[in-house]
Amino acid sequence: MTKVGPLEGVYPAEAYHQDYLTLHPNQPYIAYNDIPTGREPEEDFRGELYIEKPTLVSSAKVTN
């Protein structure tokens, strides 16, 4: 049974999950689901959300 209630907190994922695509580009799941399709990234993200260099979790600043 699933309990539905107020959110009690948000917790970061374990360290081995952080920056997974960047650190494991040849994993089958990544290669199949996340590697670009050959289209221009701007087509997928309509230009306004596309950034050339990813922001890695390991280099992000904590804001809370």
Side-chain angles (χ1 to χ4, degrees):
M1 184 164 124
T2 301
K3 178 182 173 185
V4 177
L7 180 65
E8 295 178 8
V10 177
Y11 305 95
E14 294 83 4
Y16 64 89
H17 289 297
Q18 305 300 330
D19 305 321
Y20 195 83
L21 182 141
T22 304
L23 298 174
H24 305 288
N26 296 321
Q27 289 288 333
Y29 178 88
I30 297 298
Y32 183 78
N33 293 295
D34 293 327
I35 298 300
T37 60
R39 296 181 301 196
E40 292 297 320
E42 291 83 359
E43 291 178 31
D44 289 335
F45 295 104
R46 297 188 178 96
E48 72 271 7
L49 298 177
Y50 176 73
I51 56 173
E52 185 69 34
K53 184 177 178 186
T55 301
L56 302 179
V57 173
S58 58
S59 63
K61 295 178 181 151
V62 176
T63 60
N64 57 359

